Amino acid sequence: MRAPARLALAASLAAVALTAACSDSSGPSSTNTPPEVAARFDSIYVDAFARSDSGSNGYSTRVELSTLLEIPAALGASPSSITVTTATGTEHWKGYEFVELTSPGQPVDSEFVLLAYRESAAHTVIAVFFDSTGTASAGGVITNDTLSITPNTAHGTTHLASVGATCSTPSASLVNPEFHMTFFSSCSLATFQTTLAMTFPTASGVDPALASLSFSTTAVNGIRVIDAANNSLRVQSMLHALHKMNRF
């Protein structure tokens, strides 16, 4: 996999300080049509951007994560249910996956990105990168909105299982400026087959359930994107920043 600069994900996560946040005990919302999910993450983006102080605090990470979760929903993908085994029991999360391919005329390369959220407001999110072979290579968990946790151990695999219809046109009602520009030359709805297992250090203020997270092979909805020849730098910069999480 070439140096991570494309589906380039959210702010230097290693030094993000803990910021208290409310949690949703009920899990992700059962309201899961793509327009509804896109509208919800659009609102989360607006709130996080207001708190981010021009990118100088941990909420800049939440800005990027909410945007990256909003993109597949806005483009017509429905979130998948993911049954996650935690250190304290079984939970039902929601998630999306991307695969990004280089723009036409560039050397062919690809990268997969899994984003799985625990609550409807995504206070806790798994963010994992897979290289072009489908092997997990970097990632971790962002919890309490702004705290990143790097795993002690991790392994996972993914592959593109199917490619479907052309992506939808995002709603004009979305506020997020990401949708005011073209960031791909081609986009299709897609399904992936993914498995993951991670363990994490325990820490004060972190839910003990997050000490281990795993799921067996699961179908995950998302999108297959071919980069735009130009003007895709915004998404690239988000993914690049999130990719600064320690490698496995």
Side-chain angles (χ1 to χ4, degrees):
M1 181 177 65
R2 63 187 162 82
R6 295 177 358 271
L7 264 180
L9 285 164
S12 183
L13 299 179
V16 173
L18 174 63
T19 301
C22 60
S23 63
D24 298 348
S25 59
S26 58
S29 173
S30 59
T31 304
N32 285 311
T33 67
E36 291 166 329
V37 175
R40 183 167 74 246
F41 283 114
D42 200 58
S43 296
I44 292 171
Y45 162 84
V46 170
D47 175 74
F49 185 82
R51 296 170 184 259
S52 67
D53 194 20
S54 300
S56 64
N57 63 26
Y59 274 92
S60 61
T61 298
R62 188 158 171 79
V63 167
E64 314 300 359
L65 284 173
S66 59
T67 297
L68 290 165
L69 285 164
E70 182 180 357
I71 286 173
L75 294 173
S78 298
S80 292
S81 296
I82 302 175
T83 300
V84 178
T85 300
T86 76
T88 58
T90 299
E91 298 181 0
H92 300 286
W93 295 40
K94 297 290 184 182
Y96 285 110
E97 191 162 338
F98 297 77
V99 62
E100 181 207 25
L101 291 83
T102 47
S103 58
Q106 300 296 317
V108 177
D109 196 5
S110 61
E111 185 171 42
F112 299 82
V113 183
L114 170 73
L115 297 172
Y117 54 98
R118 190 184 193 190
E119 313 88 1
S120 60
H123 300 302
T124 299
V125 179
I126 295 170
V128 174
F129 289 84
F130 302 80
D131 65 21
S132 60
T133 71
T135 301
S137 59
V141 165
I142 299 89
T143 191
N144 300 338
D145 288 352
T146 62
L147 175 66
S148 77
I149 312 172
T150 300
N152 290 327
T153 63
H155 66 270
T157 61
T158 192
H159 70 270
L160 179 63
S162 65
V163 178
T166 300
C167 293
S168 303
T169 300
S171 170
S173 66
L174 298 175
V175 173
N176 194 318
E178 187 59 51
F179 302 105
H180 300 166
M181 65 186 76
T182 299
F183 53 87
F184 56 81
S185 63
S186 175
C187 178
S188 300
L189 302 182
T191 303
F192 305 82
Q193 291 286 335
T194 306
T195 184
L196 185 68
M198 300 186 289
T199 62
F200 295 87
T202 58
S204 176
V206 175
D207 187 344
L210 301 181
S212 67
L213 299 170
S214 65
F215 57 88
S216 57
T217 302
T218 299
V220 183
N221 294 333
I223 54 176
R224 176 184 181 271
V225 173
I226 299 176
D227 289 343
N230 53 46
N231 204 27
S232 62
L233 294 179
R234 172 64 177 146
V235 172
Q236 290 179 11
S237 65
M238 287 189 290
L239 290 166
H240 177 67
L242 275 186
H243 213 315
K244 290 181 180 178
M245 287 189 290
N246 289 348
R247 304 184 69 81
F248 293 163

